[in-house]
Amino acid sequence: MITSTEEDYIKAIFNISQRGKKELVGTNQIASQMSTSAASVTDMLRKLDKKEMIIYEKYKGVKLSPLGTIKAMTLLRKHRLWESFLVEKLGFAWDEVHDIAEQMEHIQSTELVNRLDKYLGYPKFDPHGDPIPDAQGTITIRNQVSLSSLQTGDKGMVVGVKKHDKDFLNHLNQVGINIGTELEIILKYDYDQSIKLNINNSNEALLTAAVCENIFLKKFS
Amino acid sequence: MITSTEEDYIKAIFNISQRGKKELVGTNQIASQMSTSAASVTDMLRKLDKKEMIIYEKYKGVKLSPLGTIKAMTLLRKHRLWESFLVEKLGFAWDEVHDIAEQMEHIQSTELVNRLDKYLGYPKFDPHGDPIPDAQGTITIRNQVSLSSLQTGDKGMVVGVKKHDKDFLNHLNQVGINIGTELEIILKYDYDQSIKLNINNSNEALLTAAVCENIFLKKFS
DNA sequence: AATTATATTTAGATTTGTCTAAAAATAAAG
DNA sequence: CTTTATTTTTAGACAAATCTAAATATAATT
Ligand SMILES: [Mn+2]
Ligand SMILES: [Mn+2]
Ligand SMILES: [Mn+2]
Ligand SMILES: [Mn+2]
């Protein structure tokens, strides 16, 4: 038996270790990710260690055990399948689904998840371009580059975003960027690395370096 | 803010007051329905009373307040819509969906429920024949009779069941009864009120009085 | 190497939901 | 109208998840 609070900690540890380079995750990192106190994190780490979901050494840090990694994959699978359902079947926008999926990922029923997967046609990526682990927990890796790494004249198609918060996604909506959108870099300014680009061969837009950093593309040619 | 435990108590109180004749629900009734102790129930009743979800008088009993009744309707709506989704879209059988819906009914998002309702085509009844409250909380009443009340020669169509547990529904599956099944009473035995009947103009079956008690029909002519 | 700063853990409390055992209130019987 | 039985509430305790404030360990600076 695992509680949904424990599940959220597992997810947080996985997410932090994905985006950082270091193998071990720190107490404060988890605390800030979960918007809770460091003391609460320490308590929970002890508990998850006893349940053998993580490998934890006092003062040094923490990483997921094999068991914890499987659990994290299951959670990502559920979260991303529900997000896909909300967008594909119920017509939600990609910036409206995260908080709901955050709840639905905790529903306990493997049969439900597998049937949902089938119903959606076994999608490989969620509405934010994140890969969906299959029933065995394996994920499809896609070769993608950050928009920041492209130069003047380069072209590509948007395949994912790094941040998932409403404000960021809403901004992309406003400038007309979504998964599948085609971009051509008209000019990359040396001064501040901001990028002027052409969207779907029609509109033009200017993105700051901070925004470009969080957009993933499949580069053409 | 209401917790999902509180929501389950609200539902229990509503369900008990529906099936019983008395207006006030007792502590022990709730305890047995929720498989918990009477002491826990008393604690929760105090809390729900302070939140104005129920009207509670020590030693006398409890009933839902207007606020609590709205809450109960919302919960029934969510539970039954999710059950419909699981059966209609994901292909679950009617005896497999209750426990999953018991979890999904607690997802917090009115937008989600209303979109789900639309996606399902605004169904009026769930897979067990129970009415689904609309967004305003009003439910369609259907004129139905218990199979026990029918006599030799009567005909009707199954429109609902009183019990929702797996064992009971599985038994109905075995004898070939589901929502929509047409029944004709061949013979009602005076000795123990058991009923021999014809199912969909093909098979024959014998049901005990206890089983007949829990099947609702729309009587023909 | 000693001092300062940061990160992490402990100590002690709180809230929520639960329990058992005992006390009190109400209902049922004699 | 007492006595017995049932129902309900209280008392006291516990596990889970959280908090603040204080102590301790590790890292960074002089
Ligand atoms: Mn979550
Ligand atoms: Mn996503
Ligand atoms: Mn429930
Ligand atoms: Mn139902």
Side-chain angles (χ1 to χ4, degrees), chain A residues 21 44 57 80 139 144 152 157 184 197:
Chain A
K21 56 228 120 226
M44 183 55 85
E57 280 191 85
R80 292 173 182 173
I139 60 177
Q144 58 183 25
T152 303
M157 187 178 74
E184 177 178 0
L197 39 72

Side-chain angles (χ1 to χ4, degrees), chain A residues 120-219:
Chain A
L120 297 172
Y122 304 105
K124 294 263 181 297
F125 301 96
D126 84 356
H128 310 105
D130 293 312
I132 301 175
D134 66 18
Q136 282 69 49
T138 52
I139 60 177
T140 306
I141 306 285
R142 180 184 43 203
N143 73 324
Q144 58 183 25
V145 294
S146 169
L147 177 50
S148 337
S149 71
L150 295 202
Q151 302 303 323
T152 303
D154 286 343
K155 295 181 187 177
M157 187 178 74
V158 176
V159 294
V161 288
K162 200 187 270 186
K163 284 154 59 93
H164 298 70
D165 58 290
K166 238 180 145 65
D167 289 342
F168 176 65
L169 296 177
N170 239 312
H171 176 60
L172 295 190
N173 284 345
Q174 273 180 28
V175 297
I177 291 179
N178 210 307
I179 302 289
T181 303
E182 296 191 6
L183 303 180
E184 177 178 0
I185 283 71
I186 299 173
L187 182 59
K188 181 168 184 177
Y189 294 97
D190 283 336
Y191 175 62
D192 60 359
Q193 264 66 45
S194 66
I195 291 180
K196 186 174 10 169
L197 39 72
N198 185 286
I199 297 176
N200 280 334
N201 300 312
S202 53
N203 302 37
E204 280 192 10
L206 184 84
L207 297 180
T208 65
V211 169
C212 295
E213 183 62 40
N214 291 295
I215 298 175
F216 296 130
L217 292 148
K218 180 159 173 269
K219 195 178 162 186

Side-chain angles (χ1 to χ4, degrees), chain A residues 5-214:
Chain A
T5 312
E6 289 168 349
E7 289 187 332
D8 283 335
Y9 274 95
I10 299 276
K11 260 186 44 181
I13 294 167
F14 178 83
N15 286 333
I16 296 166
S17 69
Q18 281 299 95
R19 64 163 174 266
K21 56 228 120 226
K22 289 202 289 279
E23 204 201 355
L24 292 181
V25 173
T27 303
N28 269 351
Q29 287 179 287
I30 301 168
S32 111
Q33 168 94 354
M34 307 260 313
S35 314
T36 189
S37 73
S40 302
V41 174
T42 303
D43 289 345
M44 183 55 85
L45 292 183
R46 234 193 297 274
K47 208 168 76 160
L48 289 174
D49 186 69
K50 186 147 48 183
K51 290 197 178 185
E52 299 194 304
M53 305 294 287
I54 61 173
I55 289 113
Y56 168 53
E57 280 191 85
K58 266 172 71 164
Y59 290 105
K60 292 191 66 179
V62 75
K63 67 175 179 182
L64 292 181
S65 71
L67 197 67
T69 307
I70 290 169
K71 187 75 218 183
M73 282 307 168
T74 308
L75 285 166
L76 282 190
R77 172 169 162 77
K78 291 200 276 183
H79 185 102
R80 292 173 182 173
L81 282 174
W82 282 120
E83 280 190 344
S84 302
F85 167 74
L86 294 172
V87 168
E88 296 302 321
K89 301 295 186 181
L90 297 194
F92 277 100
W94 70 337
D95 61 319
E96 302 174 313
V97 296
H98 185 79
D99 291 347
I100 300 175
E102 202 60 43
Q103 299 178 64
M104 304 194 82
E105 71 192 358
H106 301 293
I107 307 279
Q108 302 291 356
S109 167
T110 39
E111 182 66 16
L112 171 61
V113 185
N114 293 335
R115 278 179 189 256
L116 179 66
D117 195 11
K118 181 182 180 184
Y119 182 58
L120 297 172
Y122 304 105
K124 294 263 181 297
F125 301 96
D126 84 356
H128 310 105
D130 293 312
I132 301 175
D134 66 18
Q136 282 69 49
T138 52
I139 60 177
T140 306
I141 306 285
R142 180 184 43 203
N143 73 324
Q144 58 183 25
V145 294
S146 169
L147 177 50
S148 337
S149 71
L150 295 202
Q151 302 303 323
T152 303
D154 286 343
K155 295 181 187 177
M157 187 178 74
V158 176
V159 294
V161 288
K162 200 187 270 186
K163 284 154 59 93
H164 298 70
D165 58 290
K166 238 180 145 65
D167 289 342
F168 176 65
L169 296 177
N170 239 312
H171 176 60
L172 295 190
N173 284 345
Q174 273 180 28
V175 297
I177 291 179
N178 210 307
I179 302 289
T181 303
E182 296 191 6
L183 303 180
E184 177 178 0
I185 283 71
I186 299 173
L187 182 59
K188 181 168 184 177
Y189 294 97
D190 283 336
Y191 175 62
D192 60 359
Q193 264 66 45
S194 66
I195 291 180
K196 186 174 10 169
L197 39 72
N198 185 286
I199 297 176
N200 280 334
N201 300 312
S202 53
N203 302 37
E204 280 192 10
L206 184 84
L207 297 180
T208 65
V211 169
C212 295
E213 183 62 40
N214 291 295

Side-chain angles (χ1 to χ4, degrees), chain B residues 4-5 7-8 11 75 79 98-99 101-106:
Chain B
S4 61
T5 312
E7 288 187 333
D8 283 335
K11 260 185 43 180
L75 285 166
H79 185 103
H98 185 79
D99 291 348
E102 203 59 44
Q103 299 178 64
M104 304 194 82
E105 71 192 359
H106 300 293

Side-chain angles (χ1 to χ4, degrees), chain B residues 1-10 44 47-48 51 71 75 106 108:
Chain B
M1 260 290 79
I2 188 165
T3 74
S4 61
T5 312
E6 288 168 350
E7 288 187 333
D8 283 335
Y9 274 95
I10 299 276
M44 182 56 84
K47 207 168 76 161
L48 289 174
K51 291 197 179 185
K71 187 76 219 183
L75 285 166
H106 300 293
Q108 301 291 356

